[in-house]
Amino acid sequence: MKANSTSNMDRHAPLVKTNGLCVRFPLKKESPFSKRRYVNAVSNVSIEIFKGEAFALVGESGCGKTTLADATLGFVAPTAGEVFFNGEKLDIRNKKRLRQQRRSMQKIFQDPASSMNPRFTVARAVAEPLMIRMELDEKLILSKAAEAVESVGLSAGDLDRLVSEFSGGQQQRIAIARALVSGAEYIVCDEPVSALDVSVHAQILNLLMDIRRERGLTYLFISHNLASVRKFADRLAIMYLGRIVEYGDAEKVFANPMHPYTRMLIDSVLSLDGGKIASASQLQTGAVDADASIPDAPFDGGCLLRNRCPLKKKECESIECRLEPVDDEHFTACPYYKTR
Ligand SMILES: Nc1ncnc2c1ncn2[C@@H]1O[C@H](COP(=O)(O)OP(=O)(O)O)[C@@H](O)[C@H]1O
Ligand SMILES: [Mg+2]
């Protein structure tokens, strides 16, 4: 368990669970006569995010991380499979119930400047999630906003200033206050520092993790940056072309990566910076997977990594890669891990 981590993760109580989740998007037709094509952004993903944990989702740009996270928030409808929140199935068609469930969920976006209206006062930006709740009066809303703003290191005196008056790091603090104000227990942090100046990355990540520990929150933390994932995540999933290829306890996965893709990610990060952990942008633009794209047909067997895998066997052309246990806290989708 990490020093910075929470000790109240409850492995018996998934707050979020996906079961065979698939999300595909139709692509624009090239002509009225051409066949409709699809992007399988998320393919057959079954994960559990336990109450009180920081669960990281790692993978390169375009592999489906945001789509998977948005499906857990009910923002995106599954094409197949299910999402459960606190044991209850999310039903996108039941708008009333979904609205109630969403009170327990929030998302912090990559770029605070585009996720909040810069012309809003801090008070309005932070209090917005409460304003739609008719039962709360203005005084109570303002006092909750002041409390949230103070908990992210700003002062109640900042409430009357405009969002645009603040630096990127401070705007992300405002966005975090906004996520906290309604008392949500599940927070998706979608690459929460990658649009910010490197000098504030550690401050914002530490703030997020302190808040989680103090309030017993559950995070789905999306990141390219393996260094921060290693520092903060209790458990993780490595995603490749819409699928989870490795999953489980973060320390175990880093100590003993069992999927060739996880090894490639870790090695490329290490080698890119002369033995040190490289930055997120280096991984993003690195040579790990520049040419891979999510297949537009449903998965028809064979390992998706096979054309790039240094350890490829003949069987990889046809095997169906499912997550198999390495032990009860670590799973890999490569069936040949035992022979490596
Ligand atoms: N609304 C959408 N319509 C069509 N394609 C989409 C949509 N959202 C995402 N995609 C596609 O789905 C894939 C996964 O995207 P995304 O979940 O944003 O990946 P990531 O967050 O890992 O960068 C990409 O190929 C992306 O272009
Ligand atoms: Mg994304």
Side-chain angles (χ1 to χ4, degrees), residues 15-292:
L15 181 65
V16 175
K17 182 177 158 78
T18 71
N19 186 13
L21 180 70
C22 301
V23 179
R24 70 174 192 176
F25 296 111
L27 291 173
K28 227 175 137 198
K29 281 191 176 187
E30 276 152 26
S31 84
F33 308 107
S34 59
K35 207 173 149 227
R36 169 78 68 197
R37 296 175 65 210
Y38 295 90
V39 176
N40 292 288
V42 175
S43 298
N44 198 16
V45 167
S46 300
I47 55 170
E48 289 183 322
I49 303 174
F50 297 123
K51 281 188 184 166
E53 78 168 330
F55 184 95
L57 192 53
V58 182
E60 291 152 281
S61 203
C63 73
K65 303 179 299 295
T66 296
T67 307
L68 171 54
D70 284 353
T72 69
L73 297 166
F75 289 156
V76 173
T79 313
E82 299 153 309
V83 177
F84 295 89
F85 186 75
N86 241 334
E88 186 183 348
K89 189 173 160 176
L90 286 191
D91 179 0
I92 300 260
R93 289 158 308 177
N94 188 343
K95 299 269 182 267
K96 191 169 167 220
R97 183 67 193 130
L98 197 58
R99 249 195 322 273
Q100 290 164 339
Q101 289 168 305
R102 285 234 186 89
R103 287 183 183 177
S104 307
M105 312 169 178
Q106 283 292 334
K107 180 170 174 178
I108 295 165
F109 296 82
Q110 187 170 345
D111 182 5
S114 57
S115 67
M116 289 183 299
N117 188 330
R119 290 187 301 272
F120 278 8
T121 60
V122 173
R124 183 161 175 203
V126 171
E128 213 177 22
L130 294 177
M131 293 205 234
I132 45 172
R133 287 166 60 175
M134 297 302 179
E135 74 271 19
L136 302 177
D137 70 34
E138 198 177 319
K139 217 168 135 201
L140 182 63
I141 289 178
L142 267 179
S143 84
K144 281 179 180 280
E147 187 197 334
V149 162
E150 282 171 352
S151 73
V152 297
L154 298 172
S155 83
D158 291 326
L159 284 170
D160 294 330
R161 295 173 61 193
L162 296 180
V163 169
S164 58
E165 292 175 44
F166 291 83
S167 68
Q170 287 170 322
Q171 287 184 1
Q172 198 59 310
R173 287 177 189 265
I174 297 168
I176 295 167
R178 177 188 161 93
L180 296 176
V181 76
S182 56
E185 59 178 319
Y186 172 54
I187 301 193
V188 169
C189 306
D190 193 349
E191 311 207 33
V193 297
S194 51
L196 305 180
D197 196 283
V198 173
S199 63
V200 300
H201 283 194
Q203 287 169 25
I204 298 292
L205 289 171
N206 285 330
L207 173 68
L208 279 169
M209 293 305 153
D210 287 347
I211 286 171
R212 186 177 66 86
R213 204 176 48 243
E214 284 157 18
R215 300 181 181 226
L217 303 177
T218 305
Y219 282 177
L220 172 53
F221 177 74
I222 298 178
S223 181
H224 285 98
N225 189 327
L226 290 179
S228 47
V229 168
R230 189 166 199 166
K231 198 163 167 202
F232 295 118
D234 294 309
R235 293 190 315 125
L236 56 76
I238 307 283
M239 202 165 178
Y240 181 70
L241 301 184
R243 307 194 143 244
I244 304 298
V245 296
E246 190 150 5
Y247 172 65
D249 181 89
E251 276 176 21
K252 288 190 174 183
V253 172
F254 278 109
N256 194 15
M258 281 294 183
H259 197 284
Y261 181 64
T262 312
R263 292 186 189 185
M264 286 164 77
L265 280 182
I266 292 174
D267 288 350
S268 73
V269 171
L270 291 172
S271 61
L272 276 167
D273 199 10
K276 281 187 278 164
I277 298 290
S279 72
S281 59
Q282 282 173 300
L283 178 59
Q284 198 166 3
T285 55
V288 177
D289 197 25
D291 58 346

Side-chain angles (χ1 to χ4, degrees), residues 1-9 51-54 212-213 216-217 234:
M1 189 68 57
K2 312 253 161 347
N4 225 331
S5 183
T6 176
S7 56
N8 52 10
M9 170 176 38
K51 281 188 184 166
E53 78 168 330
R212 186 177 66 86
R213 204 176 48 243
L217 303 177
D234 294 309

